[in-house]
Short mmCIF file of all heavy atoms in Angstrom, two decimals:
data_model
loop_
_atom_site.label_atom_id
_atom_site.label_comp_id
_atom_site.label_asym_id
_atom_site.label_seq_id
_atom_site.Cartn_x
_atom_site.Cartn_y
_atom_site.Cartn_z
N ALA A 6 -10.37 31.98 56.43
CA ALA A 6 -9.93 33.13 55.65
C ALA A 6 -10.50 32.88 54.24
O ALA A 6 -10.56 31.74 53.78
CB ALA A 6 -8.50 33.32 55.61
N ILE A 7 -10.86 33.97 53.62
CA ILE A 7 -11.26 33.89 52.20
C ILE A 7 -10.31 34.68 51.36
O ILE A 7 -10.05 35.90 51.64
CB ILE A 7 -12.75 34.35 52.11
CG1 ILE A 7 -13.67 33.43 52.90
CG2 ILE A 7 -13.22 34.43 50.55
CD1 ILE A 7 -15.16 33.87 52.84
N THR A 8 -9.91 34.15 50.21
CA THR A 8 -9.07 34.81 49.34
C THR A 8 -9.75 34.90 47.87
O THR A 8 -10.49 33.94 47.49
CB THR A 8 -7.63 34.22 49.11
OG1 THR A 8 -7.81 32.86 48.67
CG2 THR A 8 -6.96 34.25 50.42
N TRP A 9 -9.53 35.91 47.16
CA TRP A 9 -10.05 36.17 45.87
C TRP A 9 -8.84 36.46 44.84
O TRP A 9 -7.98 37.24 45.24
CB TRP A 9 -10.90 37.42 45.89
CG TRP A 9 -12.16 37.41 46.74
CD1 TRP A 9 -12.09 37.52 48.08
CD2 TRP A 9 -13.49 37.14 46.38
NE1 TRP A 9 -13.36 37.41 48.66
CE2 TRP A 9 -14.19 37.16 47.59
CE3 TRP A 9 -14.10 36.92 45.14
CZ2 TRP A 9 -15.59 36.96 47.62
CZ3 TRP A 9 -15.43 36.80 45.19
CH2 TRP A 9 -16.20 36.78 46.38
N SER A 10 -8.89 35.73 43.72
CA SER A 10 -7.82 36.02 42.73
C SER A 10 -8.41 35.80 41.31
O SER A 10 -9.30 35.15 41.09
CB SER A 10 -6.70 35.16 43.01
OG SER A 10 -7.06 33.78 43.01
N ILE A 11 -7.82 36.61 40.38
CA ILE A 11 -8.24 36.46 38.99
C ILE A 11 -7.26 35.43 38.42
O ILE A 11 -6.08 35.48 38.49
CB ILE A 11 -7.92 37.80 38.28
CG1 ILE A 11 -8.69 38.94 38.86
CG2 ILE A 11 -8.35 37.67 36.75
CD1 ILE A 11 -10.20 38.81 38.92
N ILE A 12 -7.94 34.29 37.82
CA ILE A 12 -7.14 33.32 37.23
C ILE A 12 -7.32 33.27 35.73
O ILE A 12 -6.61 32.46 34.99
CB ILE A 12 -7.54 31.91 37.86
CG1 ILE A 12 -9.03 31.61 37.56
CG2 ILE A 12 -7.13 31.90 39.29
CD1 ILE A 12 -9.39 30.13 38.00
N LYS A 13 -8.20 34.05 35.21
CA LYS A 13 -8.30 34.22 33.68
C LYS A 13 -8.71 35.57 33.45
O LYS A 13 -9.58 36.20 33.99
CB LYS A 13 -9.45 33.21 33.19
CG LYS A 13 -9.51 33.20 31.68
CD LYS A 13 -10.70 32.28 31.21
CE LYS A 13 -10.96 32.35 29.74
NZ LYS A 13 -12.09 31.57 29.33
N ALA A 14 -7.93 36.13 32.38
CA ALA A 14 -8.29 37.52 31.88
C ALA A 14 -7.72 37.61 30.44
O ALA A 14 -6.80 36.94 30.08
CB ALA A 14 -7.56 38.50 32.81
N PRO A 15 -8.33 38.59 29.64
CA PRO A 15 -7.82 38.78 28.35
C PRO A 15 -6.39 39.30 28.38
O PRO A 15 -5.95 39.91 29.41
CB PRO A 15 -8.67 39.89 27.75
CG PRO A 15 -9.96 39.81 28.62
CD PRO A 15 -9.45 39.34 29.95
N PRO A 16 -5.61 39.08 27.37
CA PRO A 16 -4.20 39.53 27.27
C PRO A 16 -4.17 41.11 27.52
O PRO A 16 -5.01 41.77 26.97
CB PRO A 16 -3.72 39.22 25.84
CG PRO A 16 -4.59 38.12 25.43
CD PRO A 16 -5.94 38.37 26.07
N GLU A 17 -3.25 41.49 28.29
CA GLU A 17 -3.02 43.00 28.65
C GLU A 17 -4.27 43.65 29.10
O GLU A 17 -4.55 44.93 29.00
CB GLU A 17 -2.59 43.68 27.37
CG GLU A 17 -1.27 43.16 26.79
CD GLU A 17 -0.77 43.81 25.58
OE1 GLU A 17 -1.05 45.08 25.47
OE2 GLU A 17 -0.02 43.23 24.79
N ALA A 18 -5.09 42.92 29.81
CA ALA A 18 -6.36 43.50 30.43
C ALA A 18 -6.05 44.33 31.68
O ALA A 18 -5.02 44.13 32.29
CB ALA A 18 -7.19 42.34 30.91
N HIS A 19 -6.92 45.33 31.82
CA HIS A 19 -6.81 46.22 32.96
C HIS A 19 -7.99 45.94 33.81
O HIS A 19 -9.14 46.13 33.39
CB HIS A 19 -6.91 47.76 32.50
CG HIS A 19 -5.70 48.04 31.66
ND1 HIS A 19 -4.41 48.29 32.19
CD2 HIS A 19 -5.53 48.20 30.36
CE1 HIS A 19 -3.57 48.54 31.16
NE2 HIS A 19 -4.20 48.48 30.08
N TYR A 20 -7.70 45.47 35.13
CA TYR A 20 -8.85 45.15 35.94
C TYR A 20 -8.39 45.34 37.38
O TYR A 20 -7.24 45.44 37.64
CB TYR A 20 -9.28 43.63 35.72
CG TYR A 20 -8.17 42.67 35.88
CD1 TYR A 20 -7.86 42.16 37.15
CD2 TYR A 20 -7.47 42.23 34.75
CE1 TYR A 20 -6.75 41.28 37.30
CE2 TYR A 20 -6.46 41.31 34.94
CZ TYR A 20 -6.04 40.75 36.11
OH TYR A 20 -5.08 39.92 36.25
N ALA A 21 -9.31 45.27 38.26
CA ALA A 21 -9.07 45.30 39.73
C ALA A 21 -10.09 44.47 40.45
O ALA A 21 -11.18 44.38 40.03
CB ALA A 21 -9.04 46.71 40.23
N ILE A 22 -9.56 43.90 41.56
CA ILE A 22 -10.57 43.14 42.51
C ILE A 22 -10.23 43.71 43.93
O ILE A 22 -9.16 43.72 44.28
CB ILE A 22 -10.45 41.67 42.39
CG1 ILE A 22 -11.65 41.07 43.25
CG2 ILE A 22 -9.10 41.11 42.76
CD1 ILE A 22 -11.89 39.54 42.85
N ILE A 23 -11.31 44.07 44.61
CA ILE A 23 -11.11 44.60 45.95
C ILE A 23 -11.88 43.69 46.85
O ILE A 23 -13.17 43.57 46.69
CB ILE A 23 -11.61 46.07 46.10
CG1 ILE A 23 -10.82 46.97 45.15
CG2 ILE A 23 -11.50 46.52 47.54
CD1 ILE A 23 -11.39 48.42 44.95
N ALA A 24 -11.22 42.97 47.70
CA ALA A 24 -11.97 41.99 48.52
C ALA A 24 -12.05 42.38 49.93
O ALA A 24 -11.05 43.09 50.48
CB ALA A 24 -11.17 40.65 48.45
N ASP A 25 -13.08 42.08 50.59
CA ASP A 25 -13.34 42.28 52.05
C ASP A 25 -14.01 41.04 52.64
O ASP A 25 -15.22 40.99 52.71
CB ASP A 25 -14.13 43.63 52.24
CG ASP A 25 -14.34 43.90 53.67
OD1 ASP A 25 -13.57 43.36 54.55
OD2 ASP A 25 -15.20 44.60 54.04
N GLY A 26 -13.17 40.16 52.97
CA GLY A 26 -13.77 38.83 53.53
C GLY A 26 -14.52 38.09 52.47
O GLY A 26 -14.04 37.78 51.39
N ALA A 27 -15.86 37.82 52.71
CA ALA A 27 -16.73 37.15 51.89
C ALA A 27 -17.32 38.02 50.85
O ALA A 27 -18.20 37.54 50.01
CB ALA A 27 -17.87 36.40 52.66
N LYS A 28 -16.94 39.33 50.72
CA LYS A 28 -17.44 40.20 49.69
C LYS A 28 -16.31 40.74 48.84
O LYS A 28 -15.21 40.92 49.31
CB LYS A 28 -18.17 41.38 50.36
CG LYS A 28 -19.39 40.98 51.13
CD LYS A 28 -20.01 42.20 51.77
CE LYS A 28 -21.17 41.85 52.66
NZ LYS A 28 -21.81 43.00 53.26
N ALA A 29 -16.55 40.95 47.56
CA ALA A 29 -15.52 41.51 46.68
C ALA A 29 -16.30 42.31 45.59
O ALA A 29 -17.38 42.04 45.22
CB ALA A 29 -14.71 40.42 46.07
N THR A 30 -15.51 43.28 45.08
CA THR A 30 -15.90 44.09 43.97
C THR A 30 -14.92 43.89 42.88
O THR A 30 -13.71 44.11 43.08
CB THR A 30 -16.10 45.54 44.29
OG1 THR A 30 -17.10 45.69 45.31
CG2 THR A 30 -16.52 46.37 43.11
N PHE A 31 -15.30 43.56 41.60
CA PHE A 31 -14.41 43.37 40.52
C PHE A 31 -14.80 44.41 39.39
O PHE A 31 -16.01 44.68 39.17
CB PHE A 31 -14.65 42.00 39.94
CG PHE A 31 -13.97 41.77 38.63
CD1 PHE A 31 -12.67 41.58 38.46
CD2 PHE A 31 -14.72 41.75 37.43
CE1 PHE A 31 -12.03 41.30 37.25
CE2 PHE A 31 -14.12 41.62 36.21
CZ PHE A 31 -12.74 41.37 36.09
N ALA A 32 -13.84 45.01 38.87
CA ALA A 32 -14.00 46.07 37.78
C ALA A 32 -13.01 45.79 36.77
O ALA A 32 -11.76 45.44 37.01
CB ALA A 32 -13.79 47.46 38.33
N ALA A 33 -13.44 45.90 35.45
CA ALA A 33 -12.58 45.67 34.31
C ALA A 33 -12.83 46.76 33.31
O ALA A 33 -13.86 47.20 33.00
CB ALA A 33 -12.89 44.31 33.67
N ALA A 34 -11.67 47.31 32.68
CA ALA A 34 -11.75 48.26 31.64
C ALA A 34 -11.55 47.58 30.23
O ALA A 34 -11.72 48.18 29.20
CB ALA A 34 -10.65 49.23 31.86
N THR A 35 -11.19 46.27 30.24
CA THR A 35 -11.00 45.52 29.05
C THR A 35 -12.16 44.45 28.87
O THR A 35 -12.32 43.64 29.73
CB THR A 35 -9.61 44.78 29.08
OG1 THR A 35 -8.66 45.69 29.44
CG2 THR A 35 -9.31 44.17 27.82
N PRO A 36 -12.81 44.49 27.70
CA PRO A 36 -13.86 43.53 27.42
C PRO A 36 -13.26 42.18 27.34
O PRO A 36 -12.01 41.97 26.88
CB PRO A 36 -14.54 43.94 26.11
CG PRO A 36 -13.73 45.08 25.62
CD PRO A 36 -12.71 45.54 26.68
N GLY A 37 -13.99 41.11 27.62
CA GLY A 37 -13.55 39.71 27.48
C GLY A 37 -13.95 38.73 28.59
O GLY A 37 -14.87 39.16 29.29
N GLU A 38 -13.32 37.63 28.56
CA GLU A 38 -13.66 36.59 29.56
C GLU A 38 -12.70 36.69 30.77
O GLU A 38 -11.45 36.70 30.56
CB GLU A 38 -13.60 35.23 28.93
CG GLU A 38 -14.46 35.00 27.74
CD GLU A 38 -15.94 34.88 28.16
OE1 GLU A 38 -16.19 34.45 29.25
OE2 GLU A 38 -16.70 35.29 27.31
N TYR A 39 -13.25 36.66 31.96
CA TYR A 39 -12.57 36.63 33.16
C TYR A 39 -13.02 35.49 34.07
O TYR A 39 -14.16 35.01 33.87
CB TYR A 39 -12.70 38.05 33.96
CG TYR A 39 -12.22 39.18 33.27
CD1 TYR A 39 -12.96 39.79 32.29
CD2 TYR A 39 -11.08 39.71 33.60
CE1 TYR A 39 -12.50 40.98 31.61
CE2 TYR A 39 -10.55 40.90 32.99
CZ TYR A 39 -11.30 41.44 31.97
OH TYR A 39 -10.77 42.62 31.35
N GLU A 40 -12.18 35.05 34.94
CA GLU A 40 -12.57 34.03 35.92
C GLU A 40 -11.97 34.32 37.30
O GLU A 40 -10.74 34.65 37.34
CB GLU A 40 -12.07 32.70 35.43
CG GLU A 40 -12.84 31.53 36.14
CD GLU A 40 -12.66 30.17 35.47
OE1 GLU A 40 -12.60 30.19 34.24
OE2 GLU A 40 -12.51 29.24 36.22
N ILE A 41 -12.78 34.37 38.27
CA ILE A 41 -12.31 34.67 39.67
C ILE A 41 -12.26 33.29 40.39
O ILE A 41 -13.31 32.53 40.35
CB ILE A 41 -13.19 35.66 40.32
CG1 ILE A 41 -13.24 36.98 39.60
CG2 ILE A 41 -12.87 35.83 41.77
CD1 ILE A 41 -14.25 38.10 40.16
N LEU A 42 -11.25 33.13 41.19
CA LEU A 42 -11.12 31.92 42.04
C LEU A 42 -11.36 32.40 43.48
O LEU A 42 -10.65 33.36 43.92
CB LEU A 42 -9.78 31.21 41.93
CG LEU A 42 -9.47 30.17 42.92
CD1 LEU A 42 -10.48 28.97 42.70
CD2 LEU A 42 -8.06 29.69 42.81
N VAL A 43 -12.27 31.81 44.19
CA VAL A 43 -12.55 32.12 45.56
C VAL A 43 -12.23 30.95 46.37
O VAL A 43 -12.53 29.81 46.05
CB VAL A 43 -14.07 32.42 45.80
CG1 VAL A 43 -14.23 32.89 47.27
CG2 VAL A 43 -14.47 33.56 44.82
N THR A 44 -11.32 31.23 47.42
CA THR A 44 -10.86 30.07 48.26
C THR A 44 -11.15 30.42 49.74
O THR A 44 -10.76 31.45 50.18
CB THR A 44 -9.36 29.79 48.05
OG1 THR A 44 -9.04 29.49 46.70
CG2 THR A 44 -8.88 28.63 49.00
N ALA A 45 -11.85 29.55 50.35
CA ALA A 45 -12.20 29.58 51.80
C ALA A 45 -11.42 28.61 52.58
O ALA A 45 -11.44 27.41 52.22
CB ALA A 45 -13.63 29.39 52.07
N THR A 46 -10.57 29.00 53.51
CA THR A 46 -9.74 28.12 54.26
C THR A 46 -10.06 28.11 55.78
O THR A 46 -10.28 29.23 56.34
CB THR A 46 -8.24 28.51 54.08
OG1 THR A 46 -7.92 28.55 52.67
CG2 THR A 46 -7.31 27.59 54.82
N ASP A 47 -10.19 26.98 56.33
CA ASP A 47 -10.40 26.80 57.76
C ASP A 47 -9.10 26.31 58.22
O ASP A 47 -8.80 25.10 58.27
CB ASP A 47 -11.53 25.85 58.02
CG ASP A 47 -11.90 25.69 59.48
OD1 ASP A 47 -11.07 26.00 60.39
OD2 ASP A 47 -13.00 25.29 59.79
N ALA A 48 -8.32 27.25 58.84
CA ALA A 48 -7.00 26.95 59.34
C ALA A 48 -7.01 25.90 60.45
O ALA A 48 -6.15 24.93 60.40
CB ALA A 48 -6.19 28.19 59.72
N PRO A 49 -7.85 26.03 61.50
CA PRO A 49 -7.78 24.98 62.52
C PRO A 49 -8.06 23.51 62.03
O PRO A 49 -7.48 22.66 62.53
CB PRO A 49 -8.93 25.47 63.47
CG PRO A 49 -9.12 26.90 63.21
CD PRO A 49 -8.81 27.08 61.83
N LEU A 50 -8.85 23.41 61.08
CA LEU A 50 -9.21 22.07 60.52
C LEU A 50 -8.26 21.70 59.39
O LEU A 50 -8.15 20.52 59.00
CB LEU A 50 -10.67 21.97 60.00
CG LEU A 50 -11.67 22.18 61.07
CD1 LEU A 50 -13.08 22.09 60.40
CD2 LEU A 50 -11.66 21.03 62.15
N GLY A 51 -7.58 22.74 58.83
CA GLY A 51 -6.61 22.45 57.71
C GLY A 51 -7.38 22.06 56.38
O GLY A 51 -6.88 21.30 55.63
N THR A 52 -8.60 22.55 56.21
CA THR A 52 -9.33 22.28 54.98
C THR A 52 -9.63 23.56 54.22
O THR A 52 -9.65 24.66 54.70
CB THR A 52 -10.63 21.70 55.38
OG1 THR A 52 -11.46 22.53 56.17
CG2 THR A 52 -10.53 20.34 56.14
N SER A 53 -9.93 23.39 52.94
CA SER A 53 -10.31 24.53 52.15
C SER A 53 -11.23 24.12 51.03
O SER A 53 -11.33 22.96 50.73
CB SER A 53 -9.03 25.22 51.51
OG SER A 53 -8.44 24.27 50.62
N SER A 54 -11.99 25.08 50.52
CA SER A 54 -12.97 24.88 49.46
C SER A 54 -12.72 25.93 48.50
O SER A 54 -12.28 27.15 48.73
CB SER A 54 -14.47 24.98 49.97
OG SER A 54 -14.71 23.94 50.86
N HIS A 55 -12.99 25.65 47.26
CA HIS A 55 -12.70 26.53 46.14
C HIS A 55 -14.04 26.68 45.27
O HIS A 55 -14.79 25.79 45.14
CB HIS A 55 -11.59 26.04 45.21
CG HIS A 55 -10.35 25.63 45.93
ND1 HIS A 55 -9.40 26.62 46.32
CD2 HIS A 55 -9.90 24.46 46.41
CE1 HIS A 55 -8.45 25.89 46.93
NE2 HIS A 55 -8.74 24.72 46.97
N MET A 56 -14.12 27.86 44.65
CA MET A 56 -15.21 28.07 43.66
C MET A 56 -14.69 29.02 42.63
O MET A 56 -13.97 29.95 42.95
CB MET A 56 -16.45 28.72 44.42
CG MET A 56 -17.52 29.12 43.55
SD MET A 56 -19.03 29.68 44.52
CE MET A 56 -18.35 31.31 44.84
N THR A 57 -15.07 28.83 41.43
CA THR A 57 -14.72 29.77 40.37
C THR A 57 -16.01 30.57 39.92
O THR A 57 -17.06 29.89 39.88
CB THR A 57 -14.05 29.07 39.11
OG1 THR A 57 -14.89 28.07 38.68
CG2 THR A 57 -12.62 28.50 39.58
N ILE A 58 -15.85 31.79 39.56
CA ILE A 58 -16.89 32.66 39.06
C ILE A 58 -16.50 33.12 37.68
O ILE A 58 -15.67 33.94 37.66
CB ILE A 58 -17.13 33.81 40.06
CG1 ILE A 58 -17.43 33.31 41.50
CG2 ILE A 58 -18.33 34.69 39.49
CD1 ILE A 58 -17.46 34.35 42.48
N PRO A 59 -17.27 32.74 36.68
CA PRO A 59 -16.98 33.31 35.31
C PRO A 59 -17.61 34.66 35.09
O PRO A 59 -18.79 34.77 35.59
CB PRO A 59 -17.59 32.18 34.41
CG PRO A 59 -18.62 31.61 35.16
CD PRO A 59 -18.14 31.68 36.67
N ILE A 60 -16.97 35.55 34.47
CA ILE A 60 -17.48 36.89 34.21
C ILE A 60 -17.19 37.23 32.74
O ILE A 60 -16.02 37.10 32.30
CB ILE A 60 -16.94 37.97 35.13
CG1 ILE A 60 -17.22 37.58 36.57
CG2 ILE A 60 -17.41 39.32 34.81
CD1 ILE A 60 -16.57 38.53 37.58
N HIS A 61 -18.17 37.68 32.02
CA HIS A 61 -18.00 38.11 30.62
C HIS A 61 -18.38 39.63 30.60
O HIS A 61 -19.38 39.98 30.91
CB HIS A 61 -18.99 37.36 29.69
CG HIS A 61 -18.84 37.70 28.27
ND1 HIS A 61 -17.71 37.27 27.53
CD2 HIS A 61 -19.48 38.53 27.48
CE1 HIS A 61 -17.83 37.77 26.37
NE2 HIS A 61 -18.92 38.57 26.23
N ILE A 62 -17.32 40.39 30.25
CA ILE A 62 -17.49 41.83 30.09
C ILE A 62 -17.66 42.13 28.61
O ILE A 62 -16.77 41.81 27.81
CB ILE A 62 -16.27 42.60 30.60
CG1 ILE A 62 -16.02 42.25 32.10
CG2 ILE A 62 -16.42 44.11 30.42
CD1 ILE A 62 -17.09 42.64 33.06
N LEU A 63 -18.83 42.76 28.29
CA LEU A 63 -19.02 43.11 26.79
C LEU A 63 -18.49 44.48 26.55
O LEU A 63 -18.38 45.34 27.46
CB LEU A 63 -20.56 43.18 26.59
CG LEU A 63 -21.29 41.79 26.71
CD1 LEU A 63 -22.79 42.07 26.58
CD2 LEU A 63 -20.78 40.90 25.72
N LYS A 64 -18.06 44.77 25.37
CA LYS A 64 -17.61 46.06 24.98
C LYS A 64 -18.67 47.12 25.17
O LYS A 64 -19.81 46.85 24.71
CB LYS A 64 -17.10 45.99 23.53
CG LYS A 64 -16.42 47.28 23.09
CD LYS A 64 -15.89 47.14 21.65
CE LYS A 64 -15.19 48.37 21.31
NZ LYS A 64 -14.62 48.34 19.88
N GLY A 65 -18.31 48.19 25.85
CA GLY A 65 -19.34 49.23 26.11
C GLY A 65 -20.32 48.92 27.19
O GLY A 65 -21.20 49.84 27.35
N SER A 66 -20.12 47.88 27.93
CA SER A 66 -21.07 47.54 28.99
C SER A 66 -20.54 48.01 30.35
O SER A 66 -19.38 48.32 30.50
CB SER A 66 -21.34 46.04 29.02
OG SER A 66 -20.19 45.32 29.56
N SER A 67 -21.35 47.95 31.33
CA SER A 67 -20.92 48.30 32.76
C SER A 67 -19.97 47.21 33.13
O SER A 67 -20.12 46.02 32.80
CB SER A 67 -22.12 48.28 33.65
OG SER A 67 -21.73 48.41 35.02
N SER A 68 -18.83 47.64 33.72
CA SER A 68 -17.76 46.63 34.01
C SER A 68 -17.49 46.42 35.56
O SER A 68 -16.46 46.10 35.96
CB SER A 68 -16.52 47.05 33.33
OG SER A 68 -16.13 48.36 33.82
N ILE A 69 -18.62 46.61 36.34
CA ILE A 69 -18.42 46.48 37.82
C ILE A 69 -19.29 45.26 38.32
O ILE A 69 -20.47 45.31 37.92
CB ILE A 69 -18.66 47.68 38.59
CG1 ILE A 69 -17.75 48.86 38.18
CG2 ILE A 69 -18.65 47.47 40.12
CD1 ILE A 69 -17.93 50.12 38.84
N CYS A 70 -18.69 44.38 39.00
CA CYS A 70 -19.42 43.16 39.50
C CYS A 70 -19.29 43.12 40.95
O CYS A 70 -18.16 43.11 41.43
CB CYS A 70 -18.87 41.94 38.84
SG CYS A 70 -19.63 40.44 39.61
N HIS A 71 -20.32 43.16 41.76
CA HIS A 71 -20.28 42.96 43.21
C HIS A 71 -20.63 41.57 43.53
O HIS A 71 -21.69 41.01 43.30
CB HIS A 71 -21.27 43.95 43.90
CG HIS A 71 -21.08 45.36 43.58
ND1 HIS A 71 -20.07 46.08 44.11
CD2 HIS A 71 -21.66 46.13 42.67
CE1 HIS A 71 -20.02 47.34 43.67
NE2 HIS A 71 -20.99 47.44 42.72
N CYS A 72 -19.67 40.86 44.26
CA CYS A 72 -19.95 39.51 44.70
C CYS A 72 -20.11 39.62 46.24
O CYS A 72 -19.21 40.00 46.93
CB CYS A 72 -18.77 38.64 44.32
SG CYS A 72 -18.26 38.65 42.65
N GLU A 73 -21.31 39.27 46.69
CA GLU A 73 -21.57 39.46 48.17
C GLU A 73 -21.89 38.19 48.84
O GLU A 73 -22.65 37.37 48.25
CB GLU A 73 -22.75 40.47 48.31
CG GLU A 73 -22.33 41.81 47.83
CD GLU A 73 -23.37 42.89 48.32
OE1 GLU A 73 -24.22 42.62 49.09
OE2 GLU A 73 -23.21 43.98 47.70
N GLU A 74 -21.30 38.01 49.94
CA GLU A 74 -21.62 36.82 50.85
C GLU A 74 -21.49 35.53 50.18
O GLU A 74 -22.52 34.78 50.03
CB GLU A 74 -22.90 37.11 51.51
CG GLU A 74 -22.88 38.34 52.43
CD GLU A 74 -24.06 38.51 53.34
OE1 GLU A 74 -24.63 37.49 53.67
OE2 GLU A 74 -24.30 39.66 53.67
N VAL A 75 -20.41 35.24 49.53
CA VAL A 75 -20.16 33.90 48.88
C VAL A 75 -20.21 32.83 49.90
O VAL A 75 -19.56 32.92 50.91
CB VAL A 75 -18.87 34.00 48.06
CG1 VAL A 75 -18.52 32.56 47.52
CG2 VAL A 75 -18.90 34.97 47.03
N VAL A 76 -20.95 31.73 49.65
CA VAL A 76 -21.01 30.60 50.57
C VAL A 76 -20.49 29.39 49.87
O VAL A 76 -20.90 28.97 48.90
CB VAL A 76 -22.44 30.30 51.03
CG1 VAL A 76 -22.48 29.17 51.89
CG2 VAL A 76 -23.11 31.51 51.62
N LEU A 77 -19.36 28.86 50.47
CA LEU A 77 -18.88 27.72 49.88
C LEU A 77 -19.11 26.45 50.74
O LEU A 77 -19.04 26.51 51.99
CB LEU A 77 -17.27 27.77 49.85
CG LEU A 77 -16.76 29.02 48.94
CD1 LEU A 77 -15.24 29.11 49.07
CD2 LEU A 77 -17.12 28.81 47.55
N MET A 78 -19.60 25.39 50.16
CA MET A 78 -19.98 24.22 50.92
C MET A 78 -18.83 23.15 50.80
O MET A 78 -18.32 23.02 49.84
CB MET A 78 -21.30 23.70 50.43
CG MET A 78 -22.41 24.58 50.45
SD MET A 78 -23.02 24.70 52.23
CE MET A 78 -24.33 25.77 52.07
#
């Protein structure tokens, strides 16, 4: 299973992440620094891998990020 979560965001930020397995779309209405944590878990083996994705949203810029087919080793 793969989970996506926001672990860093500006104070009072407005954002959303929509995940579908190994793909996710992140959108933010607040400029600033964000960080996404992606965790892949192999339940039968009891192991997991983690990866962080830093995202910087500039004021007045497009605020949608598509993360597709993340591969964790």
Side-chain angles (χ1 to χ4, degrees):
I7 297 178
T8 59
W9 300 76
S10 56
I11 305 297
I12 58 171
K13 180 181 176 184
E17 300 181 28
H19 297 284
Y20 57 84
I22 189 163
I23 300 168
D25 181 18
K28 298 179 182 183
T30 300
F31 169 78
T35 308
E38 302 292 326
Y39 294 81
E40 196 166 325
I41 298 172
L42 174 66
V43 185
T44 303
T46 304
D47 184 334
L50 294 178
T52 61
S53 63
S54 294
H55 308 278
M56 178 175 75
T57 57
I58 303 169
I60 298 174
H61 181 77
I62 303 294
L63 298 173
K64 186 174 182 179
S66 69
S67 174
S68 62
I69 297 177
C70 174
H71 299 282
C72 306
E73 296 191 11
E74 299 188 25
V75 172
V76 178
L77 301 174
M78 301 281 183

